Amino acid sequence: MAKASIEIIQALKATVKKLENSKQYQWGHMGSCNCGHLAQEVTKLKKDEIHRRAMERYGDWSEQLNDYCPTSGLPLDDIISEMLDFGFDADDLRHLESLSDKKVLLQMPIEERWLKHNIKNDVIKYITVWAEMLEKELLEKVQIPSIVGMREIHTVD
C-alpha cells in the first residue's frame, strides 16, 4: 500500500472532491473511471488524454497494470510510472479499480463493505476511507518532543 504521506492523502482527497462535484464518472472510460480520476489528479492530464493513451493497448486498468512495463514506451505505462513515482503501488491501483483492498474495507462498518466498483458514491466512500486510514497512520508517526527541561515562557499582559 502507498506510504502515508501528505501528498498521497491530498491527492486522494482532491480526487474525492472532484468526483463529488463532477458528472464525469464512467467506469468503462479509462480517464473517467476510478483510476482515471486519480490519474487526472496525479498527472494533471485531462480524462480524454488519459483515455486516448490507454486505447493504444487492450484492457481496463487492472489488465494494463498486469502488462505494465516502465520501459515499454506505451503512453499509459508512462502514466502508470508517474503514479507509481508519486507514491502509489500497482496493487493500490488494482484495488482502487475494483474497490477491493481489505485494509480499506475493514475500516468500514461491516454493512457498508459491499461496494460496487462502478458506482460513483461507492468509489467516493472507498477513497475517503483510504485517505482517512493513511492520515491516521501518518499522524501516529508524528512525535512531539517532550517539554521537560525546557524553560517556561512567560507572556506579559
Side-chain angles (χ1 to χ4, degrees):
M1 178 170 277
K3 272 193 164 171
S5 71
I6 292 170
E7 295 79 16
I8 293 285
I9 295 163
Q10 286 175 331
L12 292 171
K13 288 182 174 187
T15 300
V16 165
K17 184 174 260 188
K18 187 172 184 178
L19 277 164
E20 288 173 335
N21 296 322
S22 176
K23 294 178 184 178
Q24 305 272 327
Y25 178 80
Q26 183 181 359
W27 192 78
H29 186 283
M30 294 289 286
S32 296
C33 61
N34 308 357
C35 285
H37 275 277
L38 182 59
Q40 287 179 54
E41 187 59 38
V42 170
T43 66
K44 304 304 181 203
L45 293 171
K46 299 210 179 292
K47 66 180 178 73
D48 293 334
E49 178 61 18
I50 294 167
H51 186 75
R52 184 193 65 73
R53 292 180 185 195
M55 292 298 98
E56 292 191 28
R57 182 167 58 199
Y58 65 90
D60 64 15
W61 276 91
S62 293
E63 293 167 319
Q64 296 216 22
L65 283 159
N66 288 337
D67 294 336
Y68 165 71
C69 175
T71 59
S72 72
L74 291 170
L76 190 66
D77 282 353
D78 292 341
I79 290 173
I80 293 170
S81 289
E82 191 170 343
M83 295 177 79
L84 299 179
D85 291 344
F86 191 80
F88 294 101
D89 67 31
D91 285 336
D92 291 329
L93 304 178
R94 280 187 200 93
H95 287 305
L96 175 56
E97 200 58 19
S98 58
L99 307 181
S100 62
D101 190 313
K102 289 183 182 176
K103 291 177 190 168
V104 175
L105 296 172
L106 287 172
Q107 300 299 310
M108 298 177 186
I110 195 162
E111 66 276 4
E112 295 180 21
R113 293 181 190 165
W114 309 108
L115 304 176
K116 294 190 184 215
H117 67 278
N118 60 350
I119 303 295
K120 182 171 99 167
N121 287 334
D122 284 355
V123 178
I124 291 168
K125 184 183 300 185
Y126 180 91
I127 298 173
T128 299
V129 170
W130 184 14
E132 289 169 352
M133 186 179 81
L134 292 175
E135 192 167 27
K136 182 179 176 187
E137 184 182 320
L138 185 61
L139 288 172
E140 287 172 357
K141 293 178 183 177
V142 173
Q143 293 184 0
I144 300 172
S146 171
I147 60 169
V148 175
M150 294 179 72
R151 299 169 86 195
E152 284 188 324
I153 300 173
H154 295 283
T155 59
V156 178
D157 291 338

